[in-house]
Amino acid sequence: MIPGPESRAKIDAAVREYPHAPSALLAVLHLLQQERGYIAPEDQVWAAGRLGLSVAHVAGVVSFYTLFRQKPMGRHHVQFCRTLSCQLRGARDLLEHLKRRLGIREGEITTDGRFSLVTVECLGSCGTAPMMQVNDDYHESLTRERLDALLDSMK
Amino acid sequence: MTTRDYQPLLLKNLHRYDSARLSAYEQSGGYLSLARALKELTPEQVVEEVKASGLRGRGGAGFPTGLKWSFMPKGPGPKYLILNADESEPGTFKDRLLLERDPHLVLEGFLIGCYAVGCNQGFVYLRGEFVEAYRILKQAVEEARAKGYVGKNLLGSGFDCEITIYRGAGAYICGEETALLESLEGKRGHPRLKPPFPAQVGLYGKPTTVNNVETMANVPLIIERGGAWYAGIGREKNTGPKLYCLSGHVPKPGVYEFPLGIPLKELIYDHAGGMLRPEHPLKAVIPGGSSVPILRSEQCDVLMDFDSLVAAGTLLGSAGVIVMDDTVCMVDALLNLARFYAHESCGQCTPCREGTGWYVQILERLERGGGKMSDLDLLVDMSDRIQGNTICPLGDAVAMPVRSYVMAFRDEFEYHVTQKKCLTAAAVS
Amino acid sequence: MPESPTEQVTLTIDGVSVTVPKGMNLIEAAKTVGIAVPHFCYHPNLSIAGNCRICLVDIEKMPKNQIACSTRVAPGMVVRTRSEKAVKARQGVMEFLLINHPLDCPICDQAGECVLQDFSYHYGTGRSRFEGEKVHGPKGVDLGPHIVFDAERCIKCTRCIRFCDEVTHSSELGFFNRGDHAIIGTFPGRQLDNAYSGCTADICPVGALTVTEFRFKQRVWFLKRVPTVCSGCARGCNVDLGINENRIYRITPRENPEVNQTWICDEGRLSYEPFQKSERLGGAQAGPTAGPSDGAARPLAPGAAWDEAAAALGEIARKHGGEAVAAVTSGHATVEEQAALKDLMDRLGAEKIALPLHERGEDDALLIRKDKTANALGARLVGGAGARVSDLVPAIASGEIRGLVVLREDPLGEGGEVVAEAFRKLSFLLTLDWRKTRTAAISHLALPVCAYGEMDGSYLNFEGRIQLVRAGLLPFQESDPAWKPLLEIAHRLGGGEVPASAREVFRSLAARRPFLARLDTPAVGKMGVRLDVGTV
């Protein structure tokens, strides 16, 4: 059952950190997403109950922040930067290469569940453009070769 | 002093592989400023020192930091100081560098700030995507706690200061201070109406000040060497060292530290290696992150400080310097940024919510070759209707670039209308 | 706050000098001198959102336009609502609002009372520069039992969300997504179903939220507005009936800061429906029957009916004394009707007047009262009520009470066989009602009276506020306000001339009863008057 005991302990600790319990909502949602891989409606209902918020409020928050996903993603969730500085350093062509290699379009998941792909806005790594974030990790200064090698290494 | 001789102050520890560790930080004199502030200075004296330094906010607005701190009411709390680590302005990556490579510098400045305004629980609002920075910062806070720099009765001073790291979850708008407060209260990042201002009604309705990471990184230096010394760097009203983020068509992109006011061309040609491809000369520069008006290459003989750039019709902003050569289609570049703002608009207020989407539609049409001449005047007119009429500066942040690109590169936009393709593709190919 | 509540501030709006209490916002301040500052998201009974931006005004010495809803008056402030700067901003907002707004006016219920339509007319440029695909969204969504939602029409003013958070504290609605894909709605699978959900349609400035029961029923410009009060409970919320071609199409709340602010509960909003659905009593009918069917009833002309009633009741009183006559009055009746019944009983020397209780649920924290009658207080203060029906039944069964007058109640329908058996022993049962009840069916005489909306009169709400109910419909067939037949019967027993109007009845009552303070109906007016009714 989600959240499990370890998550609950972390959630209790997070709630204690703030003068007002609702402040812990983003932390709670991060933890729930870590456990399930995405945030399901029942997670939102649980979070609302835990923090004394309305379910409409929680759902509104989940829909606002781009890191919160309401559907499962691939094991390796590729978040490819599409903003100007990366575009200037070849991100557009690299993205096309990426899509061909994975065989999916933005917003899709490979059939084996290994990769999902989205484009995201500036990740604050413009000095090492073009770049992407896969799950939690940044992969910077990408070239076609580096990208291929990285994808090969992600099982 | 030529900039070639400049010795970094903010980035001075970064040559060490272990620069993020407390041991390394203390070895180079770290936390002595905190000790001095707690033991030898009153909070008011700290504020005065920062005022004397002339330090202006490094997040984009350039508001004098000491003055901002002085807006906080005296007397008992709770009062809050918040570190804005939500760096999301396209072209900007200096805060991330500081957080990952010298977190203690930022922490020390932040703790001194908490002392100065009377904050006993400092929040760090950290962009959700900065997971590495989160791990490093968490570790830094624990290291500092073990040494008595964080927690109760700091260094025996009687001053308590707890640090809570709050992770965002992906929203550029949460870098705007009142949207940040909403997010910290567990809500959607909708900017608040001002007045009231955060110093009166902020986090949980209490007096609050929000400061940028780089701004706080300057504070230990000011306490160590004094405000007057600090004010000797740069020029009047534009003082101190500055981190410049170079990206785009330069061979050596990255963060560069120089005194405020370095000439833009020197930054690009003497330090970042000039143009990426010598056969493609400079065409345009965004001097301060995507939200500022663009400069044509012939407008780039300008000093990189707050007032010089205002005089040149643009802004220092976040000092995200995006360099573009003549392969860049300005319509395409503007479309890229317009999509950014449309994606990041919170949706609260009419001009931004509807205007950002409309900009994208018009620019897509122009880019594809289906645009009309009247679209160009429409884009500028829309900017006039949006700027100054929204709840928060995001409206201005999209309106200013749109207006400046269309006006600075009118010929290129007109070419898209009449020839239905990019001027640059025709020129370059 | 430490400042004196009457501290005044003087400022200038569009060249007009305005003096208003400190703390007032510019929209309200401008209103005091007849200057309308357009607004969507602002509502005086909700928190300030400041998101629509249509109320932007130009204030001297301030470089940017300011929103009037959240800007408080300041001494010497100079405000221009029609400067070039303000007009340009306002036209900009109008244009932005319309770019993604669907061209639904021809099928939208809001047409004719749509703020977006009105402001386009008054403040727009009349042309659109938008050429593209509008943002699309769900339309015709059943958001709750009484609310239909159209996402494309929504202008994201958030009034509905704030209402559910701040007034009903039920928080069913949220704001989802970002930018021009932002949308309001409920948590998936949940409903907007608080007791006041219809109010979200009232405050929605456009046709994004509309009342299900009114959907596609009538164009609002055909509706005649009749100011009256709701008859659904003892609160007496002020309402307008929306009437066309002698039919109520809807009830909407009418503002009264001292009763219901700008709100009404869903049950009150739909309280006209039972009056349209029940079988009406159209004319006087006489004749006893053994069972519920009225097969043996014979119609009577009104005059003849009143003669018969007077004769029957008079005879019982003469032969067996006033104690042999009793009445059942009603909290559903108007003050005039209750007073007339009391007059008749006085003339007969009868004292036993019962008042049935109609309570359901609990009083809530907002408007709803558990007493589901509009005028129970009137029945006690003016109608002489002092007993329960259950007190009367044994006396009827024993034959002690032989004559009974029942006004707007159905003791048989409520009380079952025990009551029916007793009532069948009555020598004369007179019922005055608007519908064919079980009591009416076994009555010796049943007289038709007006239903809600067909007559003038007054109610006393639970706080002792006297408020007027107004006629907006023609009386059904031969229906009268009940005071008319009651006073006609009393007149035939020696009582005075029958007044010609409800107002006359009220006036003469007010002259006799100190707590009514000699009021006349114009003084009661549209807002009502709070009376000192002592302990009740």
Side-chain angles (χ1 to χ4, degrees), chain B residues 325-367:
Chain B
D325 68 21
D326 70 354
T327 62
V328 177
C329 167
M330 301 317 296
V331 178
D332 188 44
L334 183 59
L335 172 57
N336 182 283
L337 293 181
R339 285 193 177 122
F340 170 79
Y341 292 104
H343 186 248
E344 298 295 341
S345 167
C346 75
Q348 249 197 120
C349 73
T350 308
C352 174
R353 178 183 66 242
E354 310 293 344
T356 49
W358 196 6
Y359 276 145
V360 171
Q361 280 202 18
I362 298 168
L363 288 165
E364 279 179 347
R365 210 166 54 220
L366 277 165
E367 170 61 6

Short mmCIF file of all heavy atoms in Angstrom, two decimals, chain B residues 325-367:
data_model
loop_
_atom_site.label_atom_id
_atom_site.label_comp_id
_atom_site.label_asym_id
_atom_site.label_seq_id
_atom_site.Cartn_x
_atom_site.Cartn_y
_atom_site.Cartn_z
N ASP B 325 25.17 33.89 -33.51
CA ASP B 325 25.86 34.27 -34.74
C ASP B 325 24.87 34.37 -35.89
O ASP B 325 23.66 34.26 -35.70
CB ASP B 325 27.01 33.29 -35.04
CG ASP B 325 26.52 31.89 -35.40
OD1 ASP B 325 25.36 31.73 -35.82
OD2 ASP B 325 27.32 30.94 -35.26
N ASP B 326 25.40 34.58 -37.08
CA ASP B 326 24.51 34.92 -38.20
C ASP B 326 23.77 33.72 -38.79
O ASP B 326 23.07 33.85 -39.78
CB ASP B 326 25.28 35.67 -39.30
CG ASP B 326 26.27 34.78 -40.04
OD1 ASP B 326 26.44 33.60 -39.64
OD2 ASP B 326 26.88 35.26 -41.01
N THR B 327 23.93 32.54 -38.18
CA THR B 327 23.10 31.41 -38.64
C THR B 327 21.75 31.40 -37.96
O THR B 327 20.88 30.62 -38.32
CB THR B 327 23.79 30.06 -38.31
OG1 THR B 327 23.93 29.94 -36.88
CG2 THR B 327 25.13 29.95 -38.99
N VAL B 328 21.60 32.26 -36.96
CA VAL B 328 20.37 32.23 -36.18
C VAL B 328 19.26 33.01 -36.85
O VAL B 328 19.44 34.18 -37.21
CB VAL B 328 20.60 32.79 -34.77
CG1 VAL B 328 19.29 32.81 -33.97
CG2 VAL B 328 21.64 31.95 -34.03
N CYS B 329 18.11 32.38 -37.03
CA CYS B 329 16.92 33.09 -37.50
C CYS B 329 16.24 33.70 -36.29
O CYS B 329 15.88 32.99 -35.35
CB CYS B 329 15.96 32.11 -38.19
SG CYS B 329 14.33 32.81 -38.48
N MET B 330 16.07 35.02 -36.31
CA MET B 330 15.53 35.68 -35.12
C MET B 330 14.06 35.35 -34.90
O MET B 330 13.60 35.40 -33.76
CB MET B 330 15.73 37.20 -35.22
CG MET B 330 17.18 37.63 -35.35
SD MET B 330 18.34 36.75 -34.25
CE MET B 330 17.74 37.25 -32.66
N VAL B 331 13.36 35.03 -35.96
CA VAL B 331 11.96 34.64 -35.80
C VAL B 331 11.91 33.31 -35.05
O VAL B 331 11.14 33.12 -34.11
CB VAL B 331 11.25 34.52 -37.16
CG1 VAL B 331 9.81 34.07 -36.98
CG2 VAL B 331 11.30 35.84 -37.90
N ASP B 332 12.77 32.40 -35.47
CA ASP B 332 12.84 31.08 -34.85
C ASP B 332 13.27 31.20 -33.39
O ASP B 332 12.74 30.53 -32.51
CB ASP B 332 13.84 30.23 -35.64
CG ASP B 332 13.85 28.79 -35.17
OD1 ASP B 332 12.76 28.23 -34.96
OD2 ASP B 332 14.94 28.23 -35.00
N ALA B 333 14.26 32.07 -33.14
CA ALA B 333 14.73 32.25 -31.76
C ALA B 333 13.61 32.80 -30.89
O ALA B 333 13.38 32.33 -29.77
CB ALA B 333 15.93 33.19 -31.74
N LEU B 334 12.89 33.79 -31.41
CA LEU B 334 11.80 34.37 -30.64
C LEU B 334 10.68 33.36 -30.40
O LEU B 334 10.10 33.29 -29.32
CB LEU B 334 11.25 35.62 -31.33
CG LEU B 334 10.15 36.35 -30.57
CD1 LEU B 334 10.64 36.81 -29.21
CD2 LEU B 334 9.63 37.53 -31.38
N LEU B 335 10.40 32.55 -31.41
CA LEU B 335 9.37 31.51 -31.27
C LEU B 335 9.75 30.55 -30.15
O LEU B 335 8.92 30.15 -29.33
CB LEU B 335 9.21 30.76 -32.58
CG LEU B 335 8.30 29.52 -32.57
CD1 LEU B 335 6.90 29.87 -32.08
CD2 LEU B 335 8.24 28.88 -33.95
N ASN B 336 11.03 30.20 -30.10
CA ASN B 336 11.51 29.30 -29.04
C ASN B 336 11.22 29.89 -27.67
O ASN B 336 10.71 29.21 -26.77
CB ASN B 336 13.01 29.07 -29.22
CG ASN B 336 13.56 28.12 -28.18
OD1 ASN B 336 13.78 28.48 -27.02
ND2 ASN B 336 13.80 26.89 -28.59
N LEU B 337 11.52 31.18 -27.51
CA LEU B 337 11.27 31.80 -26.21
C LEU B 337 9.79 32.00 -25.95
O LEU B 337 9.32 31.84 -24.83
CB LEU B 337 12.01 33.14 -26.12
CG LEU B 337 13.54 33.03 -26.11
CD1 LEU B 337 14.17 34.41 -26.00
CD2 LEU B 337 14.02 32.15 -24.96
N ALA B 338 9.03 32.33 -26.99
CA ALA B 338 7.59 32.50 -26.80
C ALA B 338 6.96 31.21 -26.31
O ALA B 338 6.08 31.21 -25.45
CB ALA B 338 6.93 32.96 -28.10
N ARG B 339 7.43 30.08 -26.84
CA ARG B 339 6.91 28.79 -26.38
C ARG B 339 7.26 28.59 -24.91
O ARG B 339 6.48 28.03 -24.13
CB ARG B 339 7.49 27.65 -27.20
CG ARG B 339 6.89 27.52 -28.59
CD ARG B 339 7.26 26.20 -29.21
NE ARG B 339 6.63 26.03 -30.52
CZ ARG B 339 7.28 25.82 -31.65
NH1 ARG B 339 8.61 25.76 -31.66
NH2 ARG B 339 6.63 25.67 -32.79
N PHE B 340 8.46 29.02 -24.53
CA PHE B 340 8.87 28.91 -23.12
C PHE B 340 7.87 29.65 -22.24
O PHE B 340 7.34 29.10 -21.27
CB PHE B 340 10.28 29.49 -22.95
CG PHE B 340 10.70 29.65 -21.52
CD1 PHE B 340 11.16 28.56 -20.79
CD2 PHE B 340 10.63 30.88 -20.89
CE1 PHE B 340 11.53 28.70 -19.46
CE2 PHE B 340 11.02 31.04 -19.56
CZ PHE B 340 11.46 29.94 -18.84
N TYR B 341 7.59 30.90 -22.56
CA TYR B 341 6.70 31.68 -21.69
C TYR B 341 5.27 31.15 -21.71
O TYR B 341 4.59 31.15 -20.69
CB TYR B 341 6.75 33.17 -22.06
CG TYR B 341 8.08 33.79 -21.73
CD1 TYR B 341 9.01 34.08 -22.72
CD2 TYR B 341 8.42 34.05 -20.41
CE1 TYR B 341 10.25 34.61 -22.41
CE2 TYR B 341 9.66 34.60 -20.09
CZ TYR B 341 10.57 34.87 -21.10
OH TYR B 341 11.79 35.38 -20.79
N ALA B 342 4.83 30.66 -22.86
CA ALA B 342 3.48 30.09 -22.92
C ALA B 342 3.39 28.86 -22.02
O ALA B 342 2.36 28.60 -21.39
CB ALA B 342 3.13 29.72 -24.36
N HIS B 343 4.47 28.09 -21.97
CA HIS B 343 4.48 26.89 -21.14
C HIS B 343 4.53 27.24 -19.66
O HIS B 343 4.03 26.50 -18.81
CB HIS B 343 5.68 26.03 -21.51
CG HIS B 343 5.71 24.71 -20.82
ND1 HIS B 343 6.65 24.37 -19.88
CD2 HIS B 343 4.90 23.63 -20.91
CE1 HIS B 343 6.42 23.15 -19.43
NE2 HIS B 343 5.36 22.68 -20.04
N GLU B 344 5.19 28.35 -19.35
CA GLU B 344 5.44 28.68 -17.94
C GLU B 344 4.41 29.63 -17.35
O GLU B 344 4.40 29.84 -16.15
CB GLU B 344 6.85 29.28 -17.78
CG GLU B 344 7.98 28.33 -18.19
CD GLU B 344 8.09 27.09 -17.31
OE1 GLU B 344 7.56 27.09 -16.18
OE2 GLU B 344 8.72 26.11 -17.77
N SER B 345 3.57 30.23 -18.18
CA SER B 345 2.56 31.14 -17.65
C SER B 345 1.67 30.39 -16.66
O SER B 345 1.20 29.30 -16.96
CB SER B 345 1.70 31.68 -18.79
OG SER B 345 0.55 32.33 -18.29
N CYS B 346 1.42 30.98 -15.51
CA CYS B 346 0.65 30.25 -14.50
C CYS B 346 -0.82 30.15 -14.90
O CYS B 346 -1.51 29.23 -14.49
CB CYS B 346 0.79 30.89 -13.12
SG CYS B 346 -0.14 32.43 -12.90
N GLY B 347 -1.30 31.13 -15.69
CA GLY B 347 -2.68 31.08 -16.17
C GLY B 347 -3.64 31.94 -15.38
O GLY B 347 -4.83 31.99 -15.68
N GLN B 348 -3.14 32.64 -14.38
CA GLN B 348 -4.03 33.43 -13.53
C GLN B 348 -4.64 34.61 -14.27
O GLN B 348 -5.84 34.80 -14.24
CB GLN B 348 -3.23 34.03 -12.38
CG GLN B 348 -3.51 33.49 -11.04
CD GLN B 348 -2.97 34.43 -9.96
OE1 GLN B 348 -3.71 34.92 -9.15
NE2 GLN B 348 -1.67 34.67 -9.98
N CYS B 349 -3.79 35.45 -14.86
CA CYS B 349 -4.32 36.72 -15.34
C CYS B 349 -4.41 36.77 -16.86
O CYS B 349 -3.62 36.20 -17.59
CB CYS B 349 -3.57 37.91 -14.77
SG CYS B 349 -1.93 38.23 -15.40
N THR B 350 -5.45 37.50 -17.30
CA THR B 350 -5.86 37.46 -18.69
C THR B 350 -4.76 37.78 -19.71
O THR B 350 -4.56 37.01 -20.65
CB THR B 350 -7.06 38.40 -18.91
OG1 THR B 350 -8.07 38.11 -17.95
CG2 THR B 350 -7.62 38.27 -20.30
N PRO B 351 -4.05 38.92 -19.58
CA PRO B 351 -3.13 39.27 -20.67
C PRO B 351 -2.05 38.22 -20.89
O PRO B 351 -1.73 37.86 -22.02
CB PRO B 351 -2.52 40.60 -20.20
CG PRO B 351 -3.43 41.12 -19.16
CD PRO B 351 -4.03 39.92 -18.50
N CYS B 352 -1.47 37.70 -19.79
CA CYS B 352 -0.39 36.72 -19.93
C CYS B 352 -0.93 35.38 -20.38
O CYS B 352 -0.38 34.76 -21.29
CB CYS B 352 0.33 36.60 -18.58
SG CYS B 352 1.57 35.31 -18.51
N ARG B 353 -2.01 34.92 -19.75
CA ARG B 353 -2.56 33.61 -20.07
C ARG B 353 -2.91 33.50 -21.55
O ARG B 353 -2.54 32.56 -22.23
CB ARG B 353 -3.80 33.34 -19.22
CG ARG B 353 -4.47 32.02 -19.52
CD ARG B 353 -5.75 31.81 -18.71
NE ARG B 353 -6.78 32.74 -19.08
CZ ARG B 353 -7.32 33.66 -18.26
NH1 ARG B 353 -6.92 33.75 -17.01
NH2 ARG B 353 -8.26 34.45 -18.69
N GLU B 354 -3.65 34.49 -22.03
CA GLU B 354 -4.10 34.42 -23.42
C GLU B 354 -3.03 34.94 -24.38
O GLU B 354 -2.84 34.41 -25.47
CB GLU B 354 -5.39 35.23 -23.59
CG GLU B 354 -6.49 34.93 -22.58
CD GLU B 354 -7.08 33.54 -22.70
OE1 GLU B 354 -6.87 32.88 -23.74
OE2 GLU B 354 -7.73 33.10 -21.73
N GLY B 355 -2.31 35.99 -23.94
CA GLY B 355 -1.33 36.61 -24.82
C GLY B 355 -0.16 35.71 -25.16
O GLY B 355 0.32 35.71 -26.30
N THR B 356 0.31 34.93 -24.19
CA THR B 356 1.47 34.07 -24.46
C THR B 356 1.12 33.03 -25.52
O THR B 356 1.92 32.74 -26.41
CB THR B 356 1.98 33.37 -23.19
OG1 THR B 356 0.89 32.76 -22.51
CG2 THR B 356 2.67 34.35 -22.26
N GLY B 357 -0.07 32.47 -25.43
CA GLY B 357 -0.49 31.47 -26.42
C GLY B 357 -0.66 32.10 -27.79
O GLY B 357 -0.31 31.51 -28.82
N TRP B 358 -1.19 33.31 -27.80
CA TRP B 358 -1.42 34.01 -29.07
C TRP B 358 -0.08 34.35 -29.74
O TRP B 358 0.07 34.20 -30.95
CB TRP B 358 -2.23 35.28 -28.79
CG TRP B 358 -2.87 35.91 -30.00
CD1 TRP B 358 -2.90 35.44 -31.28
CD2 TRP B 358 -3.55 37.15 -30.00
NE1 TRP B 358 -3.58 36.31 -32.09
CE2 TRP B 358 -4.00 37.38 -31.34
CE3 TRP B 358 -3.87 38.11 -29.04
CZ2 TRP B 358 -4.71 38.52 -31.71
CZ3 TRP B 358 -4.58 39.24 -29.41
CH2 TRP B 358 -5.00 39.44 -30.73
N TYR B 359 0.89 34.81 -28.95
CA TYR B 359 2.22 35.08 -29.50
C TYR B 359 2.74 33.84 -30.25
O TYR B 359 3.26 33.95 -31.36
CB TYR B 359 3.25 35.35 -28.39
CG TYR B 359 3.34 36.75 -27.84
CD1 TYR B 359 3.63 36.92 -26.49
CD2 TYR B 359 3.22 37.89 -28.63
CE1 TYR B 359 3.76 38.19 -25.93
CE2 TYR B 359 3.35 39.16 -28.08
CZ TYR B 359 3.61 39.30 -26.73
OH TYR B 359 3.75 40.57 -26.18
N VAL B 360 2.62 32.68 -29.62
CA VAL B 360 3.13 31.45 -30.23
C VAL B 360 2.43 31.18 -31.56
O VAL B 360 3.08 30.87 -32.56
CB VAL B 360 2.97 30.25 -29.28
CG1 VAL B 360 3.31 28.94 -29.98
CG2 VAL B 360 3.86 30.43 -28.06
N GLN B 361 1.12 31.34 -31.57
CA GLN B 361 0.39 31.10 -32.83
C GLN B 361 0.87 32.02 -33.94
O GLN B 361 1.08 31.58 -35.08
CB GLN B 361 -1.10 31.36 -32.60
CG GLN B 361 -1.81 30.21 -31.93
CD GLN B 361 -3.30 30.25 -32.20
OE1 GLN B 361 -3.76 30.90 -33.12
NE2 GLN B 361 -4.05 29.53 -31.40
N ILE B 362 1.02 33.30 -33.61
CA ILE B 362 1.44 34.26 -34.63
C ILE B 362 2.86 33.95 -35.10
O ILE B 362 3.16 33.94 -36.30
CB ILE B 362 1.37 35.70 -34.09
CG1 ILE B 362 -0.07 36.05 -33.72
CG2 ILE B 362 1.92 36.69 -35.10
CD1 ILE B 362 -0.19 37.33 -32.91
N LEU B 363 3.75 33.66 -34.16
CA LEU B 363 5.14 33.41 -34.52
C LEU B 363 5.29 32.11 -35.30
O LEU B 363 6.13 32.00 -36.20
CB LEU B 363 6.01 33.41 -33.26
CG LEU B 363 6.22 34.80 -32.67
CD1 LEU B 363 6.77 34.71 -31.25
CD2 LEU B 363 7.16 35.63 -33.54
N GLU B 364 4.46 31.12 -34.96
CA GLU B 364 4.51 29.86 -35.73
C GLU B 364 4.11 30.13 -37.17
O GLU B 364 4.71 29.61 -38.11
CB GLU B 364 3.58 28.82 -35.10
CG GLU B 364 4.20 28.10 -33.92
CD GLU B 364 3.26 27.08 -33.28
OE1 GLU B 364 2.05 27.08 -33.59
OE2 GLU B 364 3.76 26.28 -32.47
N ARG B 365 3.09 30.94 -37.31
CA ARG B 365 2.61 31.29 -38.65
C ARG B 365 3.70 32.02 -39.42
O ARG B 365 3.96 31.74 -40.58
CB ARG B 365 1.38 32.18 -38.49
CG ARG B 365 0.39 32.06 -39.60
CD ARG B 365 -0.94 32.67 -39.26
NE ARG B 365 -0.88 34.03 -38.82
CZ ARG B 365 -1.63 34.53 -37.83
NH1 ARG B 365 -2.46 33.74 -37.17
NH2 ARG B 365 -1.53 35.79 -37.48
N LEU B 366 4.34 32.96 -38.76
CA LEU B 366 5.42 33.72 -39.40
C LEU B 366 6.57 32.81 -39.79
O LEU B 366 7.11 32.89 -40.89
CB LEU B 366 5.93 34.81 -38.45
CG LEU B 366 5.13 36.11 -38.42
CD1 LEU B 366 5.51 36.94 -37.21
CD2 LEU B 366 5.34 36.91 -39.69
N GLU B 367 6.93 31.93 -38.85
CA GLU B 367 8.06 31.04 -39.08
C GLU B 367 7.79 30.10 -40.25
O GLU B 367 8.67 29.82 -41.06
CB GLU B 367 8.34 30.27 -37.77
CG GLU B 367 9.32 29.13 -37.85
CD GLU B 367 10.74 29.52 -38.29
OE1 GLU B 367 11.02 30.71 -38.45
OE2 GLU B 367 11.54 28.61 -38.50
#
